[in-house]
Amino acid sequence: IKDFGIFLIAVIVFLFVRDIQILLDNIFIVVIALAGPISRLVRYYCTRYTIDDERLLVESGWLKKEKLEIPLATISSVDMTQNLLFQLTHVYALQIENAGSIGGDSDGSVKLILGKDDADIAKKLLMAKKMGETSSQDLQGQYVAATTLPQEEQGQTMKASIGEVLTMSVFQINWVVIAIQMIAYVSLLGSFLDEYIFRSEQNSTEMLVDFAMGLAPVMIIGIILGAYLVSVLISTVMSVAKYYNFRITNREDSIRIEYGLFTRKSHTLMKEKISGAKFQQSAIMRIMKKGTLQIFVTGYGGLDDKNQEETVLLYPIIDEKNIYQFLNWLMPGQVEVPEYNRAPARGLPYFFLCPRFIFSVILMAVCILATEGSAFDMWLMGIAAVILLLVTGSVFMEYMTSAVATGESVVTMRYGGYRKHTVMIERDKLEYVEDSASQLKRRKRNLSTLKVGVLAPARMSWHRVRNIDISVFDKVKDKLIY
């Protein structure tokens, strides 16, 4: 569709004009329009995929030949996706990822567009080495039966309800930002009414004229507020549609995650490639003691694919107390309940040395110094005070949240303000450990900022906890595998 778009536009124009001479006079446009489709067809006919019991081989090119060879043992995930068009035509897109795709370019990542039966067979062939199959010839001999996994490989399945998906969608909305905007709009409207209606000394006619003149900004505020609330509703509905019919299947060597209404997705993630899990909580989720559980995998989430995220949703909504039980159901004996080393009280002042708090203090100071006592100035100063109060609360919450735990096989890190992140990293996926601090903070307070690198996609490749006791660095460093 993308490649034939320009060509179709040219054909439509010709059908309306019905003058062959115009087409001949602009033959270069036709040539340009056909360049995309022709190159796509050449690439299609000159590309060959081969899967045996050891490797995936991709051979492509006409004048310039290219070969990409991926050992099956290095494959970290095989995703199957169906948008609406693919659902109508019974076609799947297979995205094959391995560690080579971490950097964000297309190297190491392969995408195939196949019919449903061929997609199922290709997926099983790619997973054959992980599932204990000894030879792809055995699979080819059972070509028709390859679309169905044996009963022992089906695994245990857990399905999320619509209520859980809806709860996740509602809880993920940043209600704090919405509340601030609503307060700002209502305050502005209240200032207008107080200035021009309630305290006005004008007669009724002049008051009516002023009110009519000021009605436009009131309507604009109402439209903005209404549009924002509608966008929140649409976002919630789209999130529910995205994760509709969410289910997770636990197999011996892999995890399969399926969801989607308009676009159906199926992730098959190899357990040995899992780098860690992330438990994420918004401000409301923290109050409710619930959160969303995600997983990140070595070689998954290349930045070149804008439709692919770097983490996979492991479960929409889960209680804090059930995280480790759930993870141990998927990866038995690997995740221990952490014993945290929290940020010490002497580190609290250093949490306030951050850009957001300094900016809010400067903003408040400017509003105080520049105010002339008008209603508008007082309104701005009130907004600045609210921002300062919220930022102060965010910094204090970060201090209360920050903690690190070093288990036998997992390093757990907690950080964040109103939005809390709990990251559990597999010990054998740790890449480096770094601590940084000024000489004053290191010598006088024995504090440092701990940063951990992990074998994972770009945005998940490092995590940081500020102002932790410096002894924690040594504990995490001891977990590195040399």
Side-chain angles (χ1 to χ4, degrees):
I1 289 177
K2 289 187 293 184
D3 290 330
F4 278 85
I6 300 176
F7 177 71
L8 289 175
I9 292 173
V11 171
I12 292 170
V13 171
F14 170 70
L15 290 176
F16 274 100
V17 175
R18 295 186 178 182
D19 187 348
I20 190 66
Q21 189 59 43
I22 294 178
L23 192 63
L24 293 175
D25 292 341
N26 297 277
I27 192 65
F28 69 95
I29 296 179
V30 178
V31 173
I32 294 174
L34 286 173
I38 290 174
S39 65
R40 175 72 71 176
L41 290 173
V42 169
R43 189 157 63 248
Y44 169 74
Y45 282 111
C46 295
T47 301
R48 178 182 178 87
Y49 300 96
T50 305
I51 307 173
D52 59 26
D53 56 337
E54 294 290 338
R55 63 179 180 169
L56 164 64
L57 179 63
V58 184
E59 300 172 277
S60 60
W62 176 36
L63 299 176
K64 180 183 177 181
K65 296 291 185 179
E66 294 183 356
K67 285 186 179 182
L68 173 63
E69 187 169 327
I70 301 176
L72 299 187
T74 66
I75 293 175
S76 56
S77 67
V78 178
D79 296 346
M80 296 177 68
T81 304
Q82 269 191 315
N83 56 31
L84 283 175
L85 178 63
F86 284 10
Q87 291 180 42
L88 293 173
T89 54
H90 303 288
V91 170
Y92 277 93
L94 262 69
Q95 185 79 21
I96 303 155
E97 301 279 353
N98 71 347
S101 57
I102 286 181
D105 51 30
S106 60
D107 294 338
S109 178
V110 177
K111 190 171 186 178
L112 292 81
I113 309 296
L114 299 172
K116 183 180 184 303
D117 291 341
D118 287 339
D120 288 334
I121 293 165
K123 182 175 180 178
K124 184 164 186 183
L125 290 170
L126 291 166
M127 296 283 102
K129 200 170 187 67
K130 303 293 184 180
M131 293 179 177
E133 302 285 354
T134 57
S135 173
S136 62
Q137 292 180 353
D138 298 335
L139 291 174
Q140 293 166 0
Q142 305 168 358
Y143 191 78
V144 176
T147 58
T148 305
L149 287 172
Q151 184 65 33
E152 62 269 16
E153 292 179 4
Q154 291 287 350
Q156 296 176 306
T157 298
M158 181 182 292
K159 184 177 179 180
S161 65
I162 288 290
E164 289 176 316
V165 175
L166 181 61
T167 301
M168 177 197 68
S169 304
V170 172
F171 281 4
Q172 282 185 334
I173 297 172
N174 199 333
W175 292 106
V176 175
V177 175
I178 294 176
I180 292 174
Q181 293 196 5
M182 293 182 69
I183 291 171
Y185 294 145
V186 172
S187 299
L188 186 60
L189 178 61
S191 299
F192 167 78
L193 293 175
D194 184 64
E195 183 74 20
Y196 292 99
I197 304 299
F198 302 125
R199 295 187 182 183
S200 176
E201 297 180 357
Q202 299 172 316
N203 57 43
S204 58
T205 304
E206 293 173 335
M207 186 186 301
L208 186 62
V209 171
D210 283 346
F211 182 76
M213 292 176 63
L215 192 60
V218 173
M219 292 181 63
I220 292 173
I221 291 173
I223 292 171
I224 293 173
L225 187 60
Y228 197 84
L229 293 176
V230 169
S231 70
V232 169
L233 178 62
I234 293 174
S235 175
T236 303
V237 172
M238 292 302 293
S239 182
V240 172
K242 178 179 179 180
Y243 293 109
Y244 176 78
N245 198 27
F246 184 96
R247 63 181 66 195
I248 177 171
T249 303
N250 180 25
R251 297 174 180 163
E252 183 179 355
D253 298 318
S254 64
I255 299 170
R256 182 171 182 174
I257 301 170
E258 303 167 276
Y259 56 85
L261 179 61
F262 302 117
T263 300
R264 297 176 184 172
K265 289 195 174 185
S266 171
H267 306 283
T268 300
L269 310 173
M270 305 312 301
K271 288 185 177 180
E272 65 181 27
K273 301 294 183 180
I274 294 174
S275 299
K278 182 178 183 181
F279 184 64
Q280 187 167 284
Q281 297 173 285
S282 64
I284 297 180
M285 285 180 174
R286 294 190 68 169
I287 297 173
M288 304 296 293
K289 296 190 180 300
K290 296 179 181 293
T292 298
L293 194 58
Q294 300 171 329
I295 195 167
F296 47 97
V297 181
T298 303
Y300 186 85
L303 297 179
D304 60 309
D305 189 349
K306 295 181 180 179
N307 296 319
Q308 186 177 1
E309 300 174 356
E310 294 196 330
T311 57
V312 180
L313 183 65
L314 197 58
Y315 205 77
I317 198 81
I318 190 169
D319 290 333
E320 281 184 356
K321 60 183 179 182
N322 295 332
I323 302 173
Y324 303 101
Q325 180 182 354
F326 183 81
L327 289 175
N328 284 322
W329 171 65
L330 295 173
M331 296 170 284
Q334 293 187 3
V335 183
E336 309 94 351
V337 177
E339 297 181 5
Y340 285 110
N341 296 278
R342 301 177 183 275
R346 64 181 183 277
L348 178 59
Y350 292 96
F351 279 95
F352 287 91
L353 298 177
C354 60
R356 66 182 186 276
F357 181 74
I358 294 172
F359 172 79
S360 62
V361 170
I362 293 174
L363 178 64
M364 187 66 196
V366 170
C367 289
I368 292 175
L369 295 175
T371 184
E372 296 179 356
S374 66
F376 183 74
D377 288 340
M378 296 302 295
W379 178 77
L380 286 179
M381 191 164 64
I383 294 296
V386 171
I387 292 174
L388 178 59
L389 182 63
L390 289 172
V391 170
T392 302
S394 172
V395 173
F396 186 76
M397 289 294 289
E398 183 184 3
Y399 159 70
M400 296 295 293
T401 299
S402 297
V404 178
T406 52
E408 190 64 31
S409 59
V410 173
V411 174
T412 306
M413 304 176 70
R414 284 193 337 204
Y415 55 89
Y418 293 120
R419 185 175 291 273
K420 178 181 174 183
H421 306 273
T422 304
V423 179
M424 291 143 280
I425 303 170
E426 295 279 354
R427 178 186 176 185
D428 60 348
K429 299 299 190 299
L430 287 176
E431 291 285 281
Y432 66 86
V433 181
E434 173 187 318
D435 80 306
S436 59
S438 65
Q439 290 296 325
L440 177 63
K441 187 164 67 171
R442 186 184 299 273
R443 292 178 179 177
K444 297 294 185 181
R445 298 294 182 178
N446 204 34
L447 298 170
S448 70
T449 294
L450 177 68
K451 183 177 179 181
V452 169
V454 58
L455 191 61
R459 285 192 292 268
M460 299 299 299
S461 62
W462 62 270
H463 302 275
R464 185 183 68 171
V465 177
R466 297 171 59 214
N467 304 314
I468 205 79
D469 193 284
I470 203 167
S471 62
V472 178
F473 168 75
D474 295 324
K475 293 181 181 180
V476 177
K477 185 180 66 174
D478 291 340
K479 298 300 177 182
L480 288 174
I481 298 175
Y482 294 95

